[in-house]
Amino acid sequence: MTRSYYSNTISDFLKDNETRILGQLSLHHNHELENLQKNAWVKQITILKDTLQGINNGQIYFEFSIPRMGKRVDNILIINDLIFVLEFKVGDNQYQKHSIEQVVDYCLDLQNFHEGSHHKKLIPVLISTKAEPIENIFTSEKNLFDPLKANQQNLREVISKSLLHSNVKQINPSDWENSIYKPTPTIIEAAQALYKGHSVKEISRHDAGAINLSKTTDCINNIIETAKRENKKSICFLTGVPGAGKTLAGLNIANERMKAAEDEHAVFLSGNGPLVDVLREALTRDEVATSKENGEPLTKKAAAIKANAFIQNIHHFRDDNLISKKAPVEKVVVFDEAQRAWGKEQVSSFMKRKKGVENFDMSEPEFLISVMDRHEDWCTIICLIGGGQEINTGEAGVSEWLSSLKNNYPHWDIHYSNLISTNDNYLSNIELRNWVQSVATEKHELHLSVSVRSFRSEKISELMHEMLEGKHERASTLLGEVKNDFPIFTTRDLTTAKKWLRTQAKGSERFGVVASSGGRRLRPLGIDVKNEISAPNWFLNNSDDIRSSYFLEEIATEFDIQGLEIDWVCLAWDINYYFENGKWNCQYFSGTKWQNIHNENDKTYLQNAYRVLLTRARQGIIIYIPEGDALDHTRPKELYEGTFNYFQSCGIQNI
C-alpha cells in the first residue's frame, strides 16, 4: 500500500518541478480539491525547497497516512537516523495547543504502532508560518523529542540544530516505509475509521500466530452468506479476553454488511448506554468535521440520524419490537456484551414496573431471538460474549441464550467459540455444554485470545485476573514480565496519582480517574461515585473542558467505562472490596455503615466490576489506596492497609 501522496529523495525533490509535485498530490486526493488545500501545498513545497537546500541525503513524504487516526501527516523527513514529523499551519501566527498535540500524536502513533519507528528518534515540528520565532529546547525521552516550533523563516535553523543530535547513522527509507504497521486503535478511533471507509486490516494489528480480527470477520461473513444462500437462520457466539477486539469485530461486521446489499440492513446493538452514547457522538462529531474539511458542510442533526441508525441501544430495539409484530428491517444484528442480557425474572419485573406489561414471561435473549425469527427467509445474530464481565443484577450470561435456542428455536444453526464449551467463565452449565457440543458447530476463529487494548503488553488481563483471584505469587511473576512496558504503581496520595497521570501522558493521550460505583466512602477525599457523568463529554471533550476526563474531577465508574478505554488510569480503590485473611472480601455501604455481601452472585458482580476497572488502561495504571481515618468508623485504616499490603505482595511498587 502506498502510504503517501508523494515521496522522493530530498535531492530529487529539490530538483523536481513544483507543478509536477502538485499534480502528484492532486492525483491522490480523494475529495474535490479546494484552493485552500492547493495553496497550502504550494506554500509547503516552497518553504521545504528553501529549507532543505544543501541537504543531500534523506527522504521526504507528503501526506503520509496514519489510518488509526484517520488522518495524514503533512510531511515526514528522514535524515540520517532522525525522523522529522512536520505539521504546517499556513497563515497561523500562534503555536496553538491543539496543533502541538496533533503533531505529537502523529509521532506517538509511529513510535507505538509502526515497526520501523519503534526505536528511532522522532522529532515533532509545528510550523506556524507567520508566528514569532521562539527558543526551542532539544530534549527527548525514550527517543521522542519535545515538540519543536518554527515559522517559515527559521525552519531551516530548527532542522539544522536538530541534526546535531544525529549520530549520522542512516535509516533506510524503503525499509522504514514498508515496515509493518500494527495499530491498536481505541474503540472510538476504530468506529470512526471504519465509518470513514478504512478496512479492518488497515486499523488492526496482524501479529503472526494471533487469531486476528480479519480471520474472525471472514468466518462470520461466511456464516452470514451461508444463511443467506440456504435461507437459514443462524447465530454466532464470539468470545474473547477483555480488550481482544470483540466490539471492533462487531462494528466491522455491522459496517461491512450495511454495504453488502441494498436490502440487507445491519445494526450494532448494545445495552451499554455510555458506549452507545460515546460512539454515536464520536461518529457524529467526526462526520461533521470531515464534511466541513471536504467542503460539503453537514448539520450535526443530519450526521446524528445516520450514526444513530448504525449504532442503537438494545433496549430501544427491544421496545420498538414489543409494539410491532413485524420482522425488523435488519437481517444482521450484532449484540454487544450479549452476556449482559437480562434473565426472565429481571425482564418481567421491568416490564411490569416500567412498561405496564403484565405476565411477560420471556428472558431478553429469548425475546430478541423471537424478534429475528419473524423473518420468513434468513437472518443472522452475532452475540459478542465477554467472560466474567456480568456487573449488573439480573444479567443472565450465555446460558440463557443457549437455553432459549434449545427450548424454543431448534431450527437455528448455532456456531460457537471453543471457549463456550470448555471455560466456566463463559458457560458453567454441564447440561448445556453437552447439548451445544452435540447440535452446534465449534469454530476456533470465533475466539479472540489476545488482548489488544493494551498494546504495551498482552498479559495485562491475565495479571489482573490473577490478582483478583488472590494468587499473588503468579501475579508477581506476570508483573515482572510486563512492568517495563506497562507501568503499574500504587500510591496512598491522590495528588501524587494525579501528578503521575499528567506526567505520563503525551500529546492528546487521555487520562482519568475511575472507581467502583460501590466506593461510597471515597467521597470525603473528593471522589463522588454517585455524581453521574456525561460519558461523551468525559471521553471526547478536550483538556480545556472541566467535564472531560483530563480535568480529573469527574469520576467514571465501571458502568461508564465498560467497553471503552483510555491511555492512563488512576483507579481509586475503596473497601467495598478489600483483602484480609488471605482473601478478597465484599461489602456494600448502606445508610451510615458497611454491610457484608453474602449472595455469591453479588460477590461475582463486585469482583467483575473491579476486573473491568483494572483493564481499562491502554498504557499504564496507578492504584490509589487511601490511608483511612481513625476518626471515621466507615474508613478503618486496617482494611485499606490489608489491600495495600496485598498489592505489595504482588510486587507493585508504591510511589
Side-chain angles (χ1 to χ4, degrees):
M1 180 183 74
T2 303
R3 300 269 322 256
S4 60
Y5 286 0
Y6 171 92
S7 68
N8 213 335
T9 63
I10 289 175
S11 57
D12 284 348
F13 162 72
L14 293 172
K15 300 171 192 170
D16 209 348
N17 180 277
E18 181 185 292
T19 305
R20 200 192 79 82
I21 297 171
L22 193 59
Q24 283 284 312
L25 294 171
S26 304
L27 188 66
H28 291 96
H29 194 64
N30 292 328
H31 307 290
E32 187 175 333
L33 188 60
E34 290 192 340
N35 285 334
L36 190 66
Q37 178 63 75
K38 181 182 174 183
N39 293 338
W41 281 337
V42 169
K43 192 70 175 174
Q44 284 171 234
I45 294 166
T46 303
I47 292 171
L48 288 169
K49 276 182 174 283
D50 179 59
T51 296
L52 298 173
Q53 289 295 329
I55 295 177
N56 298 316
N57 67 306
Q59 191 82 5
I60 185 168
Y61 300 88
F62 277 74
E63 302 291 338
F64 191 87
S65 175
I66 306 285
R68 181 185 74 94
M69 298 172 65
K71 294 182 180 294
R72 288 183 174 273
V73 182
D74 283 343
N75 299 97
I76 289 180
L77 303 176
I78 294 181
I79 307 174
N80 299 336
D81 63 331
L82 304 181
I83 302 169
F84 294 87
V85 177
L86 310 184
E87 178 64 22
F88 277 87
K89 297 300 177 185
V90 174
D92 275 16
N93 58 12
Q94 300 287 328
Y95 302 107
Q96 301 286 352
K97 179 184 174 185
H98 68 88
S99 300
I100 295 168
E101 285 183 352
Q102 183 181 2
V103 71
V104 172
D105 285 347
Y106 290 147
C107 288
L108 288 168
D109 188 278
L110 291 171
Q111 186 177 65
N112 292 330
F113 308 124
H114 184 246
E115 203 168 73
S117 304
H118 283 344
H119 306 293
K120 301 295 189 292
K121 296 173 184 173
L122 288 147
I123 304 179
V125 186
L126 172 64
I127 304 109
S128 294
T129 58
K130 294 186 180 297
E132 291 295 317
I134 65 166
E135 189 68 31
N136 285 295
I137 300 172
F138 294 82
T139 57
S140 66
E141 183 182 352
K142 296 180 181 177
N143 285 327
L144 176 62
F145 278 69
D146 287 344
L148 305 179
K149 305 171 188 74
N151 58 30
Q152 65 187 65
Q153 279 81 32
N154 71 348
L155 178 59
R156 181 185 181 87
E157 178 191 343
V158 169
I159 288 178
S160 296
K161 286 184 177 179
S162 301
L163 289 172
L164 297 175
H165 297 268
S166 166
N167 61 14
V168 197
K169 189 177 179 182
Q170 302 289 319
I171 294 173
N172 183 308
S174 178
D175 290 346
W176 177 83
E177 182 181 352
N178 294 309
S179 67
I180 297 171
Y181 179 63
K182 300 189 293 188
T184 55
T186 67
I187 195 60
I188 295 168
E189 292 167 338
Q192 290 171 328
L194 290 171
Y195 207 58
K196 279 181 174 176
H198 288 285
S199 72
V200 76
K201 290 179 181 177
E202 287 181 274
I203 61 166
S204 65
R205 52 196 288 174
H206 41 281
D207 306 57
I211 296 178
N212 58 55
L213 292 167
S214 297
K215 286 184 180 178
T216 299
T217 300
D218 290 344
C219 175
I220 294 174
N221 272 326
N222 287 336
I223 291 167
I224 294 170
E225 289 300 328
T226 300
K228 190 174 180 179
R229 185 174 60 251
E230 299 179 4
N231 269 353
K232 289 188 172 182
K233 290 163 185 171
S234 60
I235 187 167
C236 308
F237 293 95
L238 170 64
T239 60
V241 299
K246 297 182 295 294
T247 303
L248 172 56
L251 284 167
N252 187 46
I253 285 291
N255 192 56
E256 283 196 2
R257 301 316 299 188
M258 281 202 311
K259 301 170 185 174
E262 288 280 330
D263 61 343
E264 186 182 314
H265 296 279
V267 66
F268 179 90
L269 297 175
S270 176
N272 182 339
L275 176 71
V276 171
D277 293 344
V278 169
L279 291 182
R280 281 177 160 183
E281 181 67 14
L283 295 181
T284 299
R285 291 186 190 184
D286 199 50
E287 184 150 32
V288 168
T290 302
S291 63
K292 186 178 179 181
E293 288 171 12
N294 296 337
E296 302 164 354
L298 186 69
T299 66
K300 187 171 183 180
K301 184 176 181 181
I305 290 170
K306 183 181 170 188
N308 293 356
F310 176 46
I311 296 173
Q312 294 181 32
N313 190 304
I314 194 170
H315 303 307
H316 299 163
F317 180 85
R318 176 199 64 201
D319 293 348
D320 287 345
N321 286 289
L322 270 172
I323 298 166
S324 170
K325 300 303 179 185
K326 294 180 179 178
V329 68
E330 296 87 3
K331 288 294 189 75
V332 176
V333 175
V334 179
F335 291 127
D336 191 31
E337 295 177 4
Q339 80 281 354
R340 295 183 66 183
W342 287 348
K344 187 183 294 187
E345 186 177 329
Q346 186 78 2
V347 180
S348 178
S349 170
F350 174 83
M351 289 295 183
K352 186 175 181 179
R353 286 183 294 108
K354 300 290 187 179
K355 302 293 179 183
V357 178
E358 298 281 349
N359 303 318
F360 191 88
D361 64 349
M362 283 192 278
S363 66
E364 199 163 34
E366 183 181 345
F367 177 69
L368 293 170
I369 296 170
S370 76
V371 168
M372 295 304 288
D373 196 57
R374 295 172 187 172
H375 285 289
E376 293 183 2
D377 46 7
W378 73 277
C379 64
T380 298
I381 293 174
I382 298 105
C383 293
L384 311 181
I385 306 289
Q389 291 188 35
E390 297 84 3
I391 60 174
N392 275 316
T393 302
E395 292 178 356
V398 71
S399 60
E400 187 58 43
W401 288 91
L402 293 175
S403 293
S404 299
L405 290 161
K406 179 186 176 188
N407 297 329
N408 302 295
Y409 303 99
H411 56 287
W412 279 59
D413 286 347
I414 304 169
H415 304 267
Y416 67 99
S417 138
N418 54 304
L419 269 287
I420 295 288
S421 60
T422 58
N423 189 312
D424 283 351
N425 270 337
Y426 294 99
L427 182 63
S428 57
N429 185 307
I430 300 298
E431 183 183 340
L432 281 176
R433 274 193 189 183
N434 293 335
W435 174 78
V436 78
Q437 286 174 318
S438 67
V439 303
T441 305
E442 180 182 290
K443 291 186 178 292
H444 285 259
E445 294 87 350
L446 292 177
H447 179 66
L448 296 166
S449 60
V450 178
S451 175
V452 294
R453 172 178 293 123
S454 170
F455 56 87
R456 295 292 186 197
S457 174
E458 293 162 352
K459 296 181 178 178
I460 301 306
S461 61
E462 184 184 356
L463 166 60
M464 301 310 183
H465 174 77
E466 297 298 337
M467 287 201 303
L468 290 174
E469 291 296 317
K471 298 177 182 177
H472 67 96
E473 291 181 355
R474 174 62 180 152
S476 180
T477 300
L478 286 167
L479 181 66
E481 296 175 18
V482 308
K483 64 182 180 182
N484 290 334
D485 294 319
F486 186 96
I488 303 174
F489 293 100
T490 56
T491 186
R492 311 304 298 272
D493 181 74
L494 185 57
T495 301
T496 299
K498 290 181 176 182
K499 183 179 178 182
W500 184 84
L501 290 177
R502 293 187 175 109
T503 303
Q504 297 303 310
K506 303 288 188 293
S508 65
E509 288 177 343
R510 187 166 288 274
F511 53 86
V513 180
V514 304
S516 161
S517 60
R520 300 283 292 279
R521 295 311 294 147
L522 295 169
R523 191 171 66 174
L525 304 162
I527 298 173
D528 187 359
V529 296
K530 288 196 74 179
N531 183 38
E532 289 188 14
I533 69 169
S534 161
N537 289 336
W538 199 85
F539 281 99
L540 301 176
N541 290 10
N542 64 34
S543 56
D544 296 327
D545 193 318
I546 62 170
R547 300 166 298 175
S548 75
S549 67
Y550 293 115
F551 250 74
L552 304 177
E553 285 187 11
E554 297 197 339
I555 311 302
T557 71
E558 67 272 23
F559 301 114
D560 300 310
I561 204 168
Q562 187 177 44
L564 294 159
E565 64 271 303
I566 58 177
D567 291 291
W568 303 94
V569 165
C570 167
L571 167 53
W573 200 288
D574 204 3
I575 53 172
N576 60 327
Y577 198 62
Y578 65 95
F579 201 85
E580 187 180 60
N581 298 326
K583 65 185 180 70
W584 288 104
N585 300 270
C586 305
Q587 55 183 2
Y588 68 97
F589 195 77
S590 177
T592 60
K593 60 183 180 179
W594 291 101
Q595 308 274 1
N596 288 328
I597 294 175
H598 300 290
N599 183 284
E600 290 302 318
N601 283 337
D602 290 340
K603 289 180 180 180
T604 299
Y605 294 143
L606 182 54
Q607 183 189 56
N608 287 342
Y610 273 94
R611 188 192 313 278
V612 165
L613 295 168
L614 282 164
T615 55
R616 295 306 98 185
R618 286 162 57 82
Q619 301 203 52
I621 185 171
I622 187 164
I623 302 170
Y624 164 53
I625 304 166
E627 294 279 2
D629 187 344
L631 299 178
D632 183 348
H633 69 278
T634 68
R635 294 189 289 140
K637 282 178 170 287
E638 62 272 17
L639 296 194
Y640 292 100
E641 205 67 29
T643 301
F644 174 74
N645 290 337
Y646 171 70
F647 283 127
Q648 296 291 287
S649 74
C650 292
I652 300 177
Q653 184 181 341
N654 189 56
I655 57 174

